[in-house]
Amino acid sequence: MDDTRRLLQFVFKTHNELTIALSGTGSAGMEACLVNLLEPGDEAVVCVNGVFGTRMADIVERCGAKPIKVEAAWGRVIEPAFVADALHQCKRPKLVAIVHAETSTGVLQPLEEIGALTRAAGALFVVDTVTSLGGHPVRVDDWGIDACYSGTQKCLSCPPGLSPLTFSPRAVDVIRARRTTVQSWYLDLTMIE
């Protein structure tokens, strides 16, 4: 397990201690990130420019949080200025969630500027790298990503059924400070950790 963690830290370009391979698909990774970080009443900026951004917004609602959607036409990137506007609409944004490479359209989202905006707003940066990890640079630490997940069956060229995850120390602090129990028993990182 420690060897796998070190290899995942290498591919994610991170030093995050909480870096694991979760049993489940990339969608399980998506849900694990969101249900562990969000609580009822939280505000989450969700970038939607394809199927998987839409799925993130759905999970945010199921957590009892309020999704603030930043939408772009399918096939287009999410403009950082629109994310900045959405962050200003929030009272206390908990996180910004975005898909790095949207599987449904092939659009690759530049992340550095949105990561900087997220950090400046005091929010966590959650990134889906299901399609990009192993096929395009993903620099979790350099880009200020707080929670990141992927799947093994795409660019990592492994059998399906695992979802690599990594959580920054900031994200781990948020998980440990929860006021409510994580809504998913199976994906509860307070137990898995």
Side-chain angles (χ1 to χ4, degrees):
M1 197 161 100
D2 287 340
D3 289 344
T4 300
R5 178 169 29 123
R6 281 190 289 276
L7 291 169
L8 289 174
Q9 287 170 323
F10 174 78
V11 75
F12 275 124
K13 300 294 183 227
T14 187
H15 293 94
N16 292 341
E17 275 301 305
L18 184 51
T19 301
I20 60 172
L22 181 74
S23 295
T25 64
S27 292
M30 176 189 294
E31 189 156 334
C33 286
L34 295 171
V35 301
N36 280 278
L37 296 173
L38 290 172
E39 296 186 72
D42 286 340
E43 294 177 306
V45 174
V46 183
C47 300
V48 179
N49 62 347
V51 168
F52 294 94
T54 302
R55 189 172 294 172
M56 281 186 189
D58 183 32
I59 294 170
V60 167
E61 286 180 348
R62 289 169 185 246
C63 290
K66 179 183 177 188
I68 313 299
K69 293 182 189 176
V70 178
E71 299 186 76
W74 285 33
R76 298 288 202 190
V77 299
I78 302 291
E79 295 296 334
F82 298 145
V83 174
D85 289 344
L87 286 166
H88 291 308
Q89 291 175 28
C90 296
K91 291 178 186 158
R92 267 186 82 198
K94 182 79 163 275
L95 61 81
V96 172
I98 193 166
V99 178
H100 187 209
E102 178 57 67
T103 306
S104 60
T105 64
V107 168
L108 183 69
Q109 181 69 47
L111 297 177
E112 292 177 80
E113 192 173 347
I114 291 174
L117 290 167
T118 302
R119 183 75 70 168
L124 298 170
F125 194 30
V126 178
V127 179
D128 174 315
T129 62
V130 170
T131 302
S132 59
L133 188 68
H136 192 275
V138 173
R139 307 193 65 80
V140 167
D141 290 353
D142 291 347
W143 297 345
I145 298 171
D146 293 294
C148 190
Y149 60 91
S150 191
T152 49
Q153 77 280 13
K154 304 264 181 175
C155 295
L156 292 176
S157 299
C158 298
L162 290 175
S163 180
L165 302 172
T166 187
F167 288 81
S168 73
R170 285 181 58 203
V172 171
D173 288 346
V174 166
I175 293 168
R176 289 180 180 159
R178 290 181 63 92
R179 298 174 314 279
T180 60
T181 305
V182 175
Q183 71 174 15
S184 170
W185 180 88
Y186 186 73
L187 300 172
D188 184 347
L189 290 174
T190 65
M191 293 191 313
I192 294 170
E193 185 187 17

